[in-house]
Structures are given as C-alpha cells and as structure tokens.
Amino acid sequence: MLNEVLYVGMAVIGFSGAIFLARLGKEWLYGLIGTCLILVSTFGGKLIEIFGFITNAGNIFYATVFVAVFILLDRFGPEEARKGIWFGFAPLVLFVILSALAASTVSTTDTKPLDTAIHTVFSFSPRVFLASVLAYFLSLYVLVWSFELVRKRAPNALALRIIVASIIGQALDSVIFFSIAFMNLVPSSELLEIMFVGFLVKVVACICAIPFIHTTHLYSTKPSR
C-alpha cells in the first residue's frame, strides 16, 4: 500500500498548495502550473502499480495542474486561465532544454554513477516532449472551453463544471499523451490499461479537489463569475 499512500499524500499536498498559493494571487498559480509540468516531465515515464493497476507516477501532478486552472477559471476568468497555460509552458521548455544540455556534459570519474542516472532521466526525449506538449495544450484548452460552456448553462454549479471539464479534458490528455509516449514500447493491452487508469486517477483526483476549490470562495476578493 506504499504507492497508494504516497499518491494520496502527493494529491493532498498539491491541492492544498494550490489553495494556499491562490490566496497570494493568480501569478503564484502560474508558477505552480510550471512546477507541476516539470514534475510531470520528470516522473511521467515512471510506471507504477496502484490498487492493482498500472499507471505513471506523474499523473497526480497533472491533476494538480487542472486544479490550478480550475481555480483560475472560477475566480479570474478564462483569459487568465489561458494565460496561466502559456506561463506554465515556458518553464517546461527551459527545463527540457537546460536539463538536456546539463546531462550531456562530461562527468569526472568520481561522479560517473550519478552521471549515468542523470543522463537516463534527463536526456532529451523528443517523443515524450511532443506527447506532453500536445496533450497539455489540447486538453487544457478544451477544458477551458467545456468549463465555460457548462458555466453558461449552470452558472451556480461549480462541481458540475469541474466534473464535466475534467472528464473531457483528462480523456483527451490520456489518449494523446500515452498513445504518443508509450506506443510500441509496452504491449497494447497494457497501454490501454495505463491509459484508462491514468484517466480515472486524474478525474477522481479532480473530483476530490472540489472541496479544496470551494474554499477559495471564502477569501477571494473577486466574485465568482
């Protein structure tokens, strides 16, 4: 049960962090999005088992990105949410480029074991980077669109907006990312399991975050739209 406990712990820390940073201003949420994207790019390729199913270790960080975007949407509007998407992307690009360059440097014999590990983790992977970028932009822009679409029809139903947007956005993200990143690297049956479990984990995480997001109404100085 260690993986399950750690996964839940990461979710609680990530969601609580989003709520705390929201109190400091929307710019802090931009920074959280960038941080979580870096964590996704670092741990997204690590497959783990939780509750008897296989998923990747970075899913919970991506769920935190969705939570931050939901807060931006709910408290500051779609334009600020889209701005947050772009601000989050910039640190990811810098991280990928600079970490690949740093990993390519020649190590001394004293740190050769560390160099091997760093090279394995941080060497540039065009395939994973492409999967991350496409999944990130398409899923989050669709999330913003679906959130606002439901808002027009149910302006007082925050939970409904989050649930609908999470299902649509996370489904798109899971299909795009896992198809590009893991196709022909794992058996097809395992890929479908990874894709479905990843989708389920992120949707459940976003639904569990609804009470966290509701707390922003207690201190926000800008009324919910």
Side-chain angles (χ1 to χ4, degrees):
M1 292 292 292
L2 178 60
N3 282 352
E4 291 80 359
V5 172
L6 292 174
Y7 227 60
V8 172
M10 287 188 293
V12 171
I13 293 172
F15 299 164
S16 299
I19 300 306
F20 174 76
L21 293 175
R23 300 187 65 171
L24 302 178
K26 58 182 180 292
E27 293 81 6
W28 290 84
L29 290 173
Y30 299 163
L32 177 63
I33 292 172
T35 300
C36 286
L37 288 177
I38 290 172
L39 289 169
V40 170
S41 70
T42 303
F43 295 99
K46 180 179 179 178
L47 298 179
I48 63 174
E49 184 176 316
I50 57 171
F51 301 109
F53 297 98
I54 298 175
T55 186
N56 76 329
N59 271 332
I60 205 65
F61 303 124
Y62 201 63
T64 304
V65 170
F66 271 56
V67 170
V69 173
F70 281 136
I71 296 174
L72 288 170
L73 277 167
D74 184 53
R75 305 311 304 167
F76 303 102
E79 290 306 315
E80 293 299 331
R82 294 189 186 97
K83 187 183 296 184
I85 293 172
W86 280 100
F87 269 73
F89 176 65
L92 174 62
V93 174
L94 287 174
F95 173 78
V96 169
I97 294 174
L98 294 176
S99 61
L101 292 174
S104 300
T105 57
V106 179
S107 170
T108 65
T109 55
D110 296 327
T111 59
K112 198 63 178 177
L114 176 61
D115 177 63
T116 301
I118 289 175
H119 193 272
T120 300
V121 174
F122 293 105
S123 291
F124 178 67
S125 173
R127 179 171 178 169
V128 173
F129 181 70
L130 176 64
S132 299
V133 170
L134 287 178
Y136 173 69
F137 276 110
L138 291 177
S139 65
L140 284 172
Y141 267 84
V142 168
L143 176 143
V144 172
W145 170 80
S146 57
F147 188 95
E148 290 301 303
L149 183 66
V150 177
R151 189 204 293 269
K152 293 177 182 177
R153 289 161 173 76
N156 297 317
L158 175 61
L160 178 62
R161 296 199 297 270
I162 291 175
I163 292 171
V164 172
S166 294
I167 292 174
I168 296 174
Q170 298 291 11
L172 187 61
D173 172 73
S174 294
V175 170
I176 295 174
F177 177 78
F178 290 113
S179 295
I180 297 176
F182 292 101
M183 184 73 73
N184 298 324
L185 295 179
V186 298
S188 298
S189 58
E190 185 175 326
L191 177 61
L192 290 175
E193 177 182 333
I194 295 170
M195 194 180 295
F196 176 74
V197 174
F199 161 75
L200 192 62
V201 165
K202 289 179 288 186
V203 169
V204 170
C206 287
I207 293 174
C208 291
I210 292 175
F212 289 80
I213 298 172
H214 265 297
T215 64
T216 62
H217 291 258
L218 299 177
Y219 56 76
S220 178
T221 57
K222 190 160 186 175
S224 180
R225 286 158 45 97

